[in-house]
Amino acid sequence: MTFSGFDHVILLAHGSTDPLWKLPFEIIYEKIVSASPREKCSLAYMELSEPSLKSTINALDASVKKVAVLPLFFSVGRHLRHDVPAMIKDLQRDDLSIELLAPIGDDDRIQKAMVDAVKGHLGETQ
Amino acid sequence: MTFSGFDHVILLAHGSTDPLWKLPFEIIYEKIVSASPREKCSLAYMELSEPSLKSTINALDASVKKVAVLPLFFSVGRHLRHDVPAMIKDLQRDDLSIELLAPIGDDDRIQKAMVDAVKGHLGETQ
């Protein structure tokens, strides 16, 4: 499952009323933008935390035409099946395509890393 | 952040009323037990889905003395700060130590994989 060629990727986390909850996402975001141009990647929250998906999309540079929304979720539930597609439908414009990707937990690279992490905890050779 | 030497790792996902939600976790679990002995790794859910953490721990072989609970979460919120530690406290026994690990999203291997995934979506060389 490899997509490519988007102008911009928005990492979409769930959001929480817990102020500490955002920190690991911010750390991951900083790692990503230390490896990719910062203007090509944003971090947004589906609910409860700011910035929202809407404000993030509205703040994109006019030159951005093709956006991917990459959910930082392990699985697809009601949010990714209904809520986020509805948000994206409202935010699509003639001059801006927005594609909802599969959740990052589906990515082969993440799954391989999870297998390696469990082997590490069991003290198995990697 | 590398732990090792546990007899058994329990992958702990959130759980959902959505029956389709469990599927990706089951796929990840099957990948893990194709690489590690099946008797050393279980998949459990914090709430709403079965099997529960309690039933999973109660079903462990008596030879298991040192269990790690590895949350399949990206971040620590109320659940991992309060609910799961309280569950674990109740399930600890003199002959069974249960350690709650940091969520898998904190693992360097997962974070590296997330960086690579975003670079892939942007069409950047990896």
Side-chain angles (χ1 to χ4, degrees):
Chain A
M1 194 181 303
T2 299
F3 302 83
S4 66
F6 293 101
D7 299 335
H8 194 97
V9 172
I10 297 175
L11 306 173
L12 185 71
H14 186 289
S16 170
T17 52
D18 183 332
L20 295 175
W21 185 89
K22 285 171 70 171
L23 188 60
F25 295 98
E26 289 167 350
I27 290 170
I28 291 165
Y29 175 69
E30 287 303 322
K31 286 194 182 183
I32 287 169
V33 294
S34 72
S36 290
R38 185 175 292 265
E39 67 272 16
K40 286 193 166 189
C41 186
S42 304
L43 173 61
Y45 299 92
M46 190 189 64
E47 63 183 16
L48 305 172
S49 301
E50 290 292 333
S52 67
L53 182 60
K54 182 176 182 176
S55 66
T56 300
I57 284 177
N58 289 341
L60 291 174
D61 190 85
S63 65
V64 174
K65 301 298 177 200
K66 203 174 165 200
V67 173
V69 175
L70 176 58
L72 301 183
F73 287 62
F74 286 110
S75 184
V76 171
R78 176 177 50 82
H79 290 314
L80 295 183
R81 202 170 292 120
H82 299 292
D83 304 347
V84 178
M87 286 178 193
I88 287 177
K89 196 176 168 201
D90 283 348
L91 293 166
Q92 294 271 16
R93 302 191 311 254
D94 286 347
D95 64 340
L96 182 70
S97 85
I98 307 170
E99 184 171 331
L100 179 61
L101 304 183
I104 200 161
D106 274 7
D107 190 289
D108 287 343
R109 288 164 282 220
I110 307 295
Q111 296 198 351
K112 169 74 167 58
M114 292 170 79
V115 171
D116 289 344
V118 173
K119 289 173 85 166
H121 293 307
L122 289 169
E124 294 171 13
T125 312
Q126 289 180 54
Chain B
M1 193 179 306
T2 299
F3 303 83
S4 65
F6 292 102
D7 301 333
H8 195 96
V9 173
I10 298 175
L11 305 172
L12 185 70
H14 186 289
S16 169
T17 52
D18 183 331
L20 294 175
W21 187 89
K22 286 171 70 172
L23 189 61
F25 295 98
E26 290 167 348
I27 291 170
I28 290 165
Y29 175 69
E30 289 302 323
K31 285 194 182 183
I32 287 169
V33 294
S34 72
S36 291
R38 185 175 291 264
E39 66 274 15
K40 287 193 165 187
C41 187
S42 305
L43 174 61
Y45 299 92
M46 190 190 66
E47 64 183 17
L48 305 173
S49 300
E50 289 292 335
S52 68
L53 183 58
K54 183 177 183 177
S55 65
T56 299
I57 284 177
N58 289 340
L60 290 174
D61 190 84
S63 65
V64 174
K65 302 296 178 200
K66 203 174 167 202
V67 173
V69 175
L70 177 58
L72 301 183
F73 286 62
F74 286 110
S75 183
V76 171
R78 178 176 50 80
H79 290 314
L80 294 183
R81 202 171 289 121
H82 300 292
D83 304 346
V84 178
M87 285 179 194
I88 287 177
K89 197 176 167 202
D90 283 346
L91 293 166
Q92 294 270 16
R93 301 192 310 255
D94 287 346
D95 64 339
L96 182 71
S97 85
I98 307 170
E99 185 171 329
L100 179 61
L101 304 183
I104 200 160
D106 275 7
D107 190 288
D108 287 343
R109 288 163 281 219
I110 307 295
Q111 296 197 353
K112 168 76 166 57
M114 292 170 78
V115 171
D116 289 345
V118 172
K119 288 173 86 166
H121 293 306
L122 289 168
E124 293 172 15
T125 312
Q126 291 180 54

